[in-house]
Amino acid sequence: MMSPKYDLVIRGGTVVDGTGQAMREADVAIEGTRIVAVEKNLGRGKEEIDARGLLVTPGFVDVHTHFDGQATWDERMWPTSQQGVTTAVIGNCGVGFAPCRPSDRDTLISLMEGVEDIPGAALHEGLRWDWESFPQYLDALERRRRDIDIAALLPHGPLRVYVMGQRAVRREAANASDLAQMQILVRNGLRAGAVGLSTSRTLAHRDTSGEYTPMFEAAAAELTGLGHTLKGATGAVFQMISDFDDARAEFDILRKVCRDSGQAGTVTVLQHDHKPRFHEELLEMIAEANAAGERITGQVICRPVGVLLGFDTSMNPFSSRSAYAAVAALPLAQRIAELARPEVRAAILGQADYRPNLFMQYYGNAFNRMFPVADQPNYLPDASSSVAAMAMTAGCDPLTWLYDFFLENRGSSLVYLPLANYSDGNAEAIESMLKNSWTVPALGDGGAHVSTICDGSATTFLLTEWVRRRKVFTVEQGIQMLTQRPAALYAFSDRGTVAPGMKADLNLIDFDALAIDRPYMAYDLPAGGRRFLQGAQGYRATLVSGQLTYRDGVPTEALPGKLVRGCYGQL
């Protein structure tokens, strides 16, 4: 018998190669970390995987995550790596942990906790701080074993604090010397492997004390000056989020950075209730920029951005009532036992809110927008399934219905409150954003908003909802949207397609069985911090660099994930 020709052969699957071309039956042969052949009837492998009846796709590329802290202490980038993702970009929205002087560590933790809702206690315990500069941070990431590849943007917030100290915290203007120092640090970061630069200009991003971020409303000259450092850094990306109150002026900053540097830009695009048609205007501006030769891509999410509320989450409609606050710190089982006591229930339901946070002031009584979460969540719910409708059917007021619902399932019951992307209570805006030529699916925010939002499963949702159920996109188009297109945005030329010479990052998918599991709360962050996790069904296998990392959603012992460093030549 002839000796095996390949290390691994994935046999008889239906290859959806990520290019958008028609799927075809073929074997995929792997040698080491690379695909070496995609043909029918390939020779034997030392190992083989039977993929008959399964889709064989590239691993998904997620360009918007916040694993900046988690990637330094954890081996598994859950929930993102549970959803077919094999490469993730961190450092988004201008927040992160490098560069950082020891004296500024608390400032950056407060910033990340406030902006991305990652528990400060977990960050204080989990971060090792075996770095100061951004190149040293990349080295720390490279030393850690993990289940997926990571690439990092250099965040504007830490950069500004590192150079300007408390002047940055007070949001003072950068002077010429400040800008020159920041430019040097950005170039050093790019040389070390940063894949670009990120910033935030939104009121929604604040630290734990409610203060605006150090980069909020930084002068346009500062941003364009920093963006200019990307010139010559082929493949670098400038990532920005903004409220776009002065839409043209804000967007012109992004255009100028892209025009002067010759590099790509990317910006968050969402539908918001207070200006439900602005996303259309922003997409028009993106199209104009691309027509003028500036490469700008909108990041969109394929479903509403939704908050999860319950008795074991960061917020619920009762959390600002004194009788609830009296038991809120108890362990969950004990807390639920107390909340189930008739006298405690009556006291909480009978009280008024005391200084509720801003979010609950706006949405705490939006019962027509709250929807019970089922075992297989419905992320595009109909008004007939709202808490308001359920309460009406039950003949009680919504707060009473909601309180009793939260007590169910030992206190793990949740309601879903869609915010962005659902102003009209339908998916029309989302569909138009996904269909746009200048967008990529993103904004799953893995690693962030850990006890309020769990959108890392958006990759799976694109396939189950927009491809399989609604048939808005073909399988080939859907896979391309999750693989080649986001890989191209970041010039990741070695991944995103199934072809000889490409990195062997692959998913084997039982398409008909593909489904999203119900989110659940886990207490597995450092210091016992809690976070939402969420699995999926139908991913029969996921491979990173030719190694099997997940089989039927269960992790293997393989941790082949690497740091993806940008390679930008002479800067």
Side-chain angles (χ1 to χ4, degrees):
M1 181 182 292
M2 293 182 62
S3 61
K5 186 176 182 180
Y6 306 106
D7 289 339
L8 174 65
V9 174
I10 298 170
R11 183 77 65 189
T14 302
V15 175
V16 187
D17 67 7
T19 66
Q21 296 182 14
M23 64 179 73
R24 66 193 191 280
E25 185 177 320
D27 302 333
V28 178
I30 296 167
E31 283 283 337
T33 64
R34 298 283 164 175
I35 298 168
V36 293
V38 184
E39 302 173 18
K40 285 187 175 181
N41 302 316
L42 289 173
R44 291 174 52 236
K46 296 174 186 174
E47 296 183 49
E48 298 208 0
I49 298 176
D50 184 356
R52 288 173 296 180
L54 304 179
L55 303 182
V56 181
T57 79
F60 304 156
V61 178
D62 190 336
V63 299
H64 197 114
T65 74
H66 293 278
F67 292 118
D68 305 68
Q70 187 177 331
T72 69
W73 71 66
D74 204 349
E75 295 177 336
R76 304 200 180 277
M77 299 300 101
W78 289 353
T80 299
S81 60
Q82 298 170 293
Q83 306 289 336
V85 172
T86 55
T87 302
V89 177
I90 66 174
N92 286 280
C93 301
V95 291
F97 299 110
C100 182
R101 303 182 195 280
S103 58
D104 293 323
R105 291 171 181 174
D106 288 350
T107 296
L108 297 194
I109 286 176
S110 175
L111 183 60
M112 182 65 82
E113 182 178 13
V115 171
E116 301 299 344
D117 186 32
I118 302 171
L123 295 172
H124 277 289
E125 181 168 309
L127 290 168
R128 300 181 181 185
W129 295 114
D130 51 348
W131 65 84
E132 179 171 319
S133 69
F134 192 80
Q136 289 170 341
Y137 173 69
L138 293 182
D139 290 343
L141 288 175
E142 190 165 50
R143 287 192 293 270
R144 186 78 194 184
R145 299 172 68 234
R146 62 183 64 84
D147 57 358
I148 63 172
D149 287 354
I150 294 288
L153 293 160
L154 197 159
H156 185 197
L159 174 70
R160 209 167 193 268
V161 172
Y162 190 82
V163 170
M164 298 173 60
Q166 287 302 303
R167 291 170 47 232
V169 177
R170 294 192 296 269
R171 295 187 297 110
E172 294 181 14
N175 59 38
S177 176
D178 297 328
L179 180 57
Q181 291 181 62
M182 284 191 276
Q183 288 174 319
I184 290 170
L185 293 174
V186 172
R187 289 192 182 96
N188 289 343
L190 290 168
R191 290 190 189 102
V195 295
L197 178 70
S198 70
T199 194
S200 169
R201 297 171 65 77
T202 173
L203 284 166
H205 286 174
R206 307 189 187 200
D207 65 17
T208 52
S209 65
E211 295 296 322
Y212 299 127
T213 70
M215 61 204 141
F216 178 66
E217 291 188 330
E222 177 181 336
L223 288 173
T224 55
L226 292 176
H228 187 73
T229 62
L230 303 180
K231 188 172 185 178
T234 303
V237 174
F238 183 77
Q239 185 265 336
M240 184 173 84
I241 181 171
S242 173
D243 294 328
F244 288 103
D245 289 333
D246 186 348
R248 284 287 172 180
E250 283 288 286
F251 194 72
D252 281 349
I253 294 173
L254 183 58
R255 290 195 67 171
K256 183 170 175 55
V257 168
C258 296
R259 184 168 58 250
D260 291 352
S261 68
Q263 305 308 322
T266 186
V267 63
T268 297
V269 182
L270 293 168
Q271 181 195 45
H272 294 287
D273 288 356
H274 64 286
K275 42 183 180 181
R277 303 267 73 85
F278 176 70
H279 64 282
E280 298 171 353
E281 181 181 342
L282 183 54
L283 289 172
E284 288 175 3
M285 289 190 284
I286 291 172
E288 291 172 8
N290 280 280
E294 297 143 12
R295 293 177 294 128
I296 298 177
T297 300
Q299 293 187 17
V300 302
I301 188 167
C302 61
R303 67 191 198 203
V305 176
V307 170
L308 296 169
L309 305 176
F311 279 155
D312 196 26
T313 67
S314 292
M315 299 179 292
N316 65 63
F318 311 100
S319 52
S320 296
R321 302 185 177 195
S322 59
Y324 182 85
V327 301
L330 295 173
L332 180 62
Q334 189 176 348
R335 188 188 329 146
I336 296 305
E338 286 294 308
L339 291 170
R341 292 173 56 204
E343 60 271 31
V344 174
R345 176 180 180 276
I348 293 173
L349 288 172
Q351 287 178 340
D353 291 336
Y354 174 70
R355 298 180 65 181
N357 65 46
L358 190 61
F359 179 85
M360 294 312 300
Q361 285 185 44
Y362 280 106
Y363 294 106
N365 293 313
F367 304 116
N368 62 322
R369 296 184 62 163
M370 297 181 191
F371 302 88
V373 177
D375 287 342
Q376 290 194 354
N378 179 7
Y379 289 105
L380 295 171
D382 183 81
S384 63
S385 62
S386 70
V387 168
M390 297 291 180
M392 181 177 293
T393 300
C396 63
D397 70 274
L399 266 178
T400 299
W401 188 94
L402 192 59
Y403 190 101
D404 294 336
F405 173 75
F406 283 158
L407 287 174
E408 295 176 6
N409 301 310
R410 293 179 290 184
S412 66
S413 293
L414 301 167
V415 297
Y416 172 65
L417 174 56
L419 299 177
N421 283 9
Y422 219 52
S423 298
D424 304 318
N426 60 55
E428 291 178 6
I430 301 171
E431 181 174 339
S432 69
M433 287 187 276
L434 289 173
K435 285 181 173 179
N436 190 279
S437 301
W438 308 113
T439 66
V440 294
L443 308 178
D445 262 6
H449 308 292
V450 293
S451 59
T452 53
I453 296 173
C454 191
D455 281 345
S457 60
T459 50
T460 307
F461 186 79
L462 182 102
L463 298 177
T464 58
E465 183 69 20
W466 294 103
V467 174
R468 190 177 65 200
R469 194 177 84 82
R470 293 178 181 250
K471 295 181 171 51
V472 172
F473 305 105
T474 65
V475 173
E476 293 90 342
Q477 290 170 328
I479 294 300
Q480 184 183 33
M481 292 165 73
L482 296 171
T483 57
Q484 187 188 57
R485 279 170 60 177
L489 169 60
Y490 275 87
F492 295 152
S493 58
D494 64 343
R495 66 198 70 202
T497 60
V498 180
M502 300 298 283
K503 193 166 177 286
D505 295 349
L506 300 165
N507 284 315
L508 278 60
I509 302 173
D510 183 342
F511 189 65
D512 291 337
L514 202 60
I516 299 170
D517 294 338
R518 185 179 182 277
Y520 66 96
M521 193 69 77
Y523 285 77
D524 63 349
L525 290 178
R530 63 187 175 184
R531 61 170 173 163
F532 275 117
L533 294 179
Q534 185 173 38
Q537 303 168 40
Y539 292 104
R540 297 299 175 224
T542 297
L543 291 86
V544 173
S545 295
Q547 295 188 44
L548 186 66
T549 54
Y550 289 86
R551 185 183 289 277
D552 290 321
V554 178
T556 70
E557 294 184 358
L559 295 168
K562 303 291 185 184
L563 173 69
V564 182
R565 294 184 188 259
C567 185
Y568 300 133
Q570 301 300 313
L571 280 177

